Amino acid sequence: ILALAAGLGLGILGHETGSAVLARVGEWIKPVGSMWVSALQLTVIPLVITHLLATISGAGAKSVGKLGVRTLVLFLAMLLAAGVFAIFLTPLFLSRLSLDPNTVATMSAATASARDSGTLAAAANNAPVSISDWLSRLLPTNLVEAGVRGDIFPLLLFAGFFALAVTRLPSERQLLLTNIFQSLADAMLQLVRWILIAAPIGVFALTYGLALKTGTSSGGILGAYIVIVYTIVSQYGVANLIICT
């Protein structure tokens, strides 16, 4: 939050004063924010897949079946709770927020440069498809291509079946692969910790560049966004605690 406030403050100062020095600083740190976001996105699929492999291969097929049912029920309950909170609370908060269309357009133009080249591909992947087409794509014909497209569900499905196959191996081979998967999962988790340690730097770079282009208009919108999200997530967290209990 301190990095967010500092980035907004200095960015607004640079926007209002037109300082050439602050503008040059914005150009220097722009790649830093982009690299931090890319690092976060880069670790998502490896982190989830390695933990899934380690969990299933180490638990065994029978344990995975029972755990999978409980996890599915818990996931659906939490997803329902999230949907309920988003549907009822978000419009209530947004109705009290007045946004200038020009400000929204300015912020949209300022953040457009932060979108990577995969945006169009992601939009194409999110296009409506029939149920038969969706089922036919559950198992990818090429894992690398699925990873490039960001199709995480088919990757998880393959990883789950692969981990179940590991549980059918002789005990010594299963133990060897389980240890490898667990080591990879631990290493990925450590990598994520390093990225999160750098969060203040990434947040400062992102908010500074945004405020430098939009000025004071960005502060009010980001402040309202933070308050709304924090309030909804806090209430949702209490609901999840009750559900898990």
Side-chain angles (χ1 to χ4, degrees), residues 2 8 16 21 47 54 60 70 75 110 114 125-126 129 138 152-153 184 190 199 218 227 239:
L2 292 176
L8 284 175
E16 298 297 330
V21 175
L47 178 67
R70 292 198 300 267
F75 173 78
N125 291 333
N126 292 331
V129 295
L138 281 182
I152 189 170
F153 185 72
L184 291 173
Q190 182 59 50
S218 60
V227 171

Side-chain angles (χ1 to χ4, degrees), residues 186-230:
D186 293 341
M188 284 303 307
L189 194 60
Q190 182 59 50
L191 180 60
V192 171
R193 289 194 185 101
W194 290 343
I195 296 174
L196 292 181
I197 289 174
I201 300 175
V203 169
F204 175 83
L206 292 172
T207 54
Y208 179 84
L210 179 63
L212 188 64
K213 292 182 178 180
T214 60
T216 56
S217 59
S218 60
I221 294 179
L222 286 178
Y225 172 79
I226 292 172
V227 171
I228 292 174
V229 171
Y230 177 78

Side-chain angles (χ1 to χ4, degrees), residues 78-125:
M78 294 173 66
L79 186 63
L80 179 61
V84 169
F85 277 99
I87 290 173
F88 289 101
L89 291 182
T90 305
L92 181 64
F93 288 126
L94 291 179
S95 63
R96 302 176 180 273
L97 180 62
S98 178
L99 296 178
D100 181 15
N102 294 329
T103 300
V104 176
T106 302
M107 291 194 66
S108 298
T111 56
S113 59
R115 303 189 184 106
D116 55 19
S117 58
T119 301
L120 295 177
N125 291 333

Side-chain angles (χ1 to χ4, degrees), residues 14 16 28 30 34 43 54 74 89 96 101 118-119 133 135 143 149 157 184 212 228 232:
E16 298 297 330
W28 290 342
K30 181 180 178 180
S34 299
T43 57
L74 179 61
L89 291 182
R96 302 176 180 273
T119 301
D133 290 338
L135 290 174
L143 290 177
R149 294 197 308 265
L157 193 60
L184 291 173
L212 188 64
I228 292 174
I232 294 177

Side-chain angles (χ1 to χ4, degrees), residues 139-149 155:
L139 287 180
T141 57
N142 190 314
L143 290 177
V144 176
E145 182 180 351
V148 171
R149 294 197 308 265
L155 293 176

